[in-house]
Amino acid sequence: MLFLSVNPTTVEEVTLEIASTPTYTDGGAMGLGFISSTEVSSEGGSDSVSRLLLKLEWLDVITRRPHVCSISHTNTALRQAALSNQSIFPVRRELQLRLLKLSSLELHYGDSLSTLESNFSDELDHLSSNEEDVLEFTEIFERLKHPVPQEIKDRFDRIVASKKIPIRKPEGSNTKTFFVYAENKIMMKVCNALSPLEVHQMYTILCETKAVEEDNAMQDFLSQPCLSLDALQKVAGLKDVAFYYLVLTLMRKKMINRLYTHKLAFLLEQLKQIHIRDDKDHIHIDRALSILCRYPIASQPPGLCLIFLMTESRPGAKKDLTRVKELFEKVFKYDVFVKIDPTAEHIKSIISKLRAARNKFYDSLVVWFMGHGSKSYLIVKEGQIHRRLDLIEPFTEIEWFYKKPKLFFIQACAVKENRKRFSSSSGADMKALNTQIDSVGWKAPAGRVWQEKYADYTDVSNINCFADTLISYATMWYQPASRGEEGSLYVDTLVDQLREHGSHESIENVLRRVHYNVNTVSLLQDVPGYGEVQWKQAPYFESSLQKEFIFPKSANA
């Protein structure tokens, strides 16, 4: 529960000085004694991560930080640390303290109802760390099938209403899966797949790998005493404590995050080699590695789908909209927001509203634009917008979507005026549609030569905002995009292939299927000066995705 409640975006490397521990106490808890509300700190953010690490880790404080703590502080710390005590009791007490804190919070609320539309029509609303804690713990309780304390449930309902957060539960389910960060859920899956012996072996690999020993950021971690295999096997929950302590340490030292997980993959790869050597089954390790190769998409709804649809002089446009909306709403279970005939200001306003903190829980963003266009511009109501500067780039600069996949699908022509686009041919007897890693390393997943040249300069804490973006175009530059009374060839084909393959193949593979199918269709068009000509449409995409993106399979698929 405590690990799931961690906000990975605020985990920063800090000195865990016992003398500066905040005003929590390690006294009684539910069923164990009384705690005054004045003893419970209301501070949030990375402070809760520091406390959790203190509760998890061994603290050889006399040898590691003798200038920080007195003997009494040291003894207190050692009593609090689960791994040094080989007991999860300190972690249980920390959870009880957190729940007491959430039950005694004083929050300020509004009274308005929340809808998806209100996301894009009201002023930005800030989410405090306390409010995020309430949202996260409510989901965690339900996810782990524990009854939610009434005080926390009441606060949850009022925050959702006040902050205009749209809540949609999966069909046939009473579980909300929106407010816990996807990377935490993924790490929980990996942890659950590992045995106590395998977690112990991961620690052994860390201590014995020369590349890790040379990593300055890991020296403090490697100074820890050896982990007891006997305790991991006998004490229920201690295996989880050891795994989450490792993950949190890597996060705190900026070695892994929701996107860059190759250091954890390195440990799993080494673990797999041990299993192969000992002729043991390693399917569960392969499954964990496969999970780490994908973008973490673990929430419901898994993302937000925005659709900008232009209808003027575009017969069949509404049918395209119906197909796209049904696919993303009914099959992929996305939140779908449609804006018909937007102006440039409408689009700019929607992008601005999307910066609100309430949208940070989406794991992905999908943007559709369906309208007329040229090579550089898209036609909107009362004007035009630049494809990249006004549509794509502003979305990539939204903080909440850093390190998350952003997919753009653009159904629009990309023609250049007065450019010859067709070869002359007779329309007679034409059957055509009439239309208007090489290896895994500790520092980076790359080969030896690359690592020797670049690995010492890798930094996973910052990214280029254009990273993790895919843009799919209905047609190549200077070419038209077909559309008829029943809709457009590109949208029809894309929806068909996403429905058939989107939940088990990468988006790049799906788009290659789209390109193949679109290119098999022969098209006819009456072009002034050329007569009736036969032509074919060639979609294409450009991508800076760093991991595999696969649309999540819905529960009823």
Side-chain angles (χ1 to χ4, degrees):
M1 282 186 173
L2 289 171
F3 176 77
L4 287 175
S5 71
V6 168
N7 181 346
T9 63
T10 62
V11 178
E12 297 178 354
E13 185 164 14
V14 293
T15 302
L16 300 181
E17 298 184 355
I18 309 302
S20 61
T21 299
T23 56
Y24 288 87
T25 72
D26 203 33
M30 297 180 184
L32 301 172
F34 174 78
I35 304 175
S36 167
S37 61
T38 60
E39 296 174 316
V40 182
S41 169
S42 62
E43 295 300 317
S46 60
D47 174 68
S48 61
V49 178
S50 301
R51 283 193 51 80
L52 180 54
L53 278 166
L54 286 174
K55 297 297 181 180
L56 298 180
E57 73 173 338
W58 311 273
L59 286 175
D60 188 8
V61 198
I62 296 179
T63 58
R64 290 166 56 200
R65 288 186 285 268
H67 62 288
V68 173
C69 309
S70 66
I71 295 297
S72 61
H73 280 134
T74 301
N75 291 337
T76 301
L78 289 172
R79 287 199 304 271
Q80 292 176 345
L83 290 176
S84 64
N85 265 3
Q86 299 183 3
S87 166
I88 66 168
F89 183 69
V91 183
R92 289 184 182 275
R93 287 190 296 188
E94 176 67 11
L95 173 62
Q96 291 159 345
L97 285 167
R98 290 285 299 277
L99 296 180
L100 178 63
K101 166 193 166 184
L102 294 179
S103 298
S104 60
L105 289 176
E106 292 186 7
L107 302 173
H108 302 285
Y109 311 100
D111 300 321
S112 42
L113 297 176
S114 61
T115 64
L116 181 58
E117 285 72 17
S118 67
N119 248 1
F120 303 101
S121 59
D122 295 299
E123 293 303 315
L124 304 185
D125 286 306
H126 173 70
L127 275 176
S128 70
S129 59
N130 287 335
E131 289 167 333
E132 283 195 47
D133 280 347
V134 171
L135 297 175
E136 289 164 354
F137 267 96
T138 301
E139 177 183 329
I140 292 168
F141 269 97
E142 293 186 341
R143 183 180 183 85
L144 300 179
K145 296 180 170 53
H146 287 289
V148 183
Q150 190 61 46
E151 297 89 346
I152 296 178
K153 186 177 186 304
D154 291 343
R155 285 172 171 80
F156 175 90
D157 293 337
R158 296 179 70 181
I159 291 170
V160 166
S162 174
K163 301 300 182 179
K164 306 183 182 355
I165 301 173
I167 292 295
R168 186 187 69 206
K169 299 180 181 179
E171 293 181 13
S173 170
N174 292 321
T175 304
K176 303 177 184 71
T177 60
F178 193 51
F179 301 107
V180 175
Y181 289 89
E183 52 266 54
N184 294 1
K185 298 176 186 177
I186 295 302
M187 290 301 170
M188 185 177 75
K189 287 184 179 180
V190 174
C191 178
N192 291 343
L194 298 174
S195 68
L197 173 60
E198 290 166 338
V199 172
H200 183 267
Q201 289 172 325
M202 291 175 71
Y203 274 79
T204 302
I205 292 166
L206 269 174
C207 293
E208 295 179 351
T209 302
K210 184 177 181 180
V212 174
E213 290 177 353
E214 295 173 350
D215 197 323
N216 292 332
M218 290 301 293
Q219 289 305 305
D220 187 52
F221 181 86
L222 292 174
S223 69
Q224 301 286 3
C226 294
L227 187 64
S228 167
L229 175 59
D230 185 61
L232 287 180
Q233 292 175 327
K234 290 182 178 179
V235 180
L238 195 61
K239 178 263 291 188
D240 302 66
V241 168
F243 179 82
Y244 292 139
Y245 173 62
L246 170 61
V247 169
L248 280 171
T249 300
L250 293 175
M251 285 183 177
R252 184 169 62 93
K253 296 179 180 298
K254 299 181 180 180
M255 289 184 168
I256 64 172
N257 51 45
R258 71 175 288 124
L259 182 63
Y260 299 111
T261 54
H262 56 271
K263 292 187 184 294
L264 182 59
F266 168 84
L267 295 176
L268 291 174
E269 285 281 3
Q270 301 305 306
L271 185 61
K272 177 181 174 180
Q273 294 306 313
I274 294 175
H275 279 246
I276 293 174
R277 183 193 66 200
D278 297 340
D279 198 25
K280 292 182 179 179
D281 176 65
H282 52 79
I283 295 177
H284 61 296
I285 300 178
D286 288 335
R287 188 177 300 116
L289 286 167
S290 176
I291 289 173
L292 293 180
C293 286
R294 299 180 182 181
Y295 284 99
I297 309 292
S299 296
Q300 183 71 353
L304 176 65
C305 176
L306 299 177
I307 304 175
F308 300 112
L309 178 74
M310 307 307 299
T311 60
E312 186 177 353
S313 302
R314 298 189 69 245
K318 292 290 184 68
K319 294 187 177 180
D320 280 347
L321 172 62
T322 299
R323 294 185 184 104
V324 172
K325 191 170 184 289
E326 180 184 20
L327 174 68
F328 277 85
E329 217 167 46
K330 301 293 180 61
V331 178
F332 294 151
K333 305 298 182 182
Y334 272 59
D335 274 343
V336 178
F337 181 76
V338 179
K339 187 66 178 178
I340 296 178
D341 295 325
T343 64
E345 283 302 312
H346 286 148
I347 294 175
K348 183 178 179 180
S349 174
I350 288 172
I351 294 172
S352 175
K353 302 303 180 186
L354 198 55
R355 299 178 188 275
R358 58 174 168 251
N359 298 303
K360 66 164 61 178
F361 304 106
Y362 290 117
D363 288 338
S364 60
L365 174 68
V366 176
V367 178
W368 288 78
F369 185 94
M370 294 181 276
H372 294 296
S374 63
K375 180 182 182 297
S376 300
Y377 292 92
L378 298 169
I379 306 303
V380 295
K381 188 174 182 180
E382 300 174 358
Q384 62 183 15
I385 59 173
H386 195 278
R387 287 174 180 253
R388 293 182 179 272
L389 299 180
D390 298 324
L391 182 67
I392 296 170
E393 183 175 327
F395 280 110
T396 67
E397 294 175 345
I398 296 175
E399 180 184 354
W400 313 130
F401 291 107
Y402 287 173
K403 302 188 181 79
K404 297 180 182 180
K406 298 165 282 290
L407 312 181
F408 296 83
F409 300 104
I410 299 180
Q411 160 61 31
C413 294
V415 296
K416 183 177 180 180
E417 294 301 321
N418 302 319
R419 180 182 176 90
K420 181 178 179 179
R421 302 189 302 270
F422 307 104
S423 59
S424 160
S425 61
S426 169
D429 299 324
M430 287 192 293
K431 185 178 181 181
L433 178 66
N434 198 5
T435 67
Q436 287 190 343
I437 297 181
D438 292 331
S439 63
V440 177
W442 169 249
K443 291 188 175 181
R448 180 181 58 81
V449 175
W450 189 96
Q451 290 210 33
E452 289 177 353
K453 189 173 183 179
Y454 296 109
D456 289 338
Y457 306 101
T458 57
D459 173 16
V460 302
S461 61
N462 297 307
I463 62 166
N464 186 307
C465 67
F466 278 110
D468 310 301
T469 299
L470 179 143
I471 310 166
S472 173
Y473 300 93
T475 184
M476 290 288 291
W477 299 131
Y478 306 133
Q479 295 291 315
S482 65
R483 177 184 37 77
E485 297 288 340
E486 295 301 313
S488 61
L489 173 60
Y490 167 76
V491 173
D492 276 350
T493 309
L494 180 51
V495 168
D496 172 74
Q497 292 299 310
L498 285 173
R499 189 184 297 274
E500 293 294 318
H501 304 286
S503 294
H504 57 268
E505 288 190 18
S506 70
I507 183 62
E508 289 94 341
N509 281 351
V510 172
L511 289 174
R512 278 186 277 270
R513 291 175 178 272
V514 170
H515 298 179
Y516 183 91
N517 283 7
V518 168
N519 270 282
T520 64
V521 179
S522 186
L523 302 166
L524 282 178
Q525 185 171 357
D526 189 11
V527 180
Y530 294 94
E532 196 171 50
V533 298
Q534 184 177 9
W535 64 288
K536 287 194 171 183
Q537 184 173 329
Y540 87 106
F541 72 88
E542 53 189 47
S543 172
S544 62
L545 296 183
Q546 300 181 72
K547 285 195 172 187
E548 192 176 47
F549 177 82
I550 299 178
F551 284 100
K553 187 177 296 184
S554 62
N556 56 357

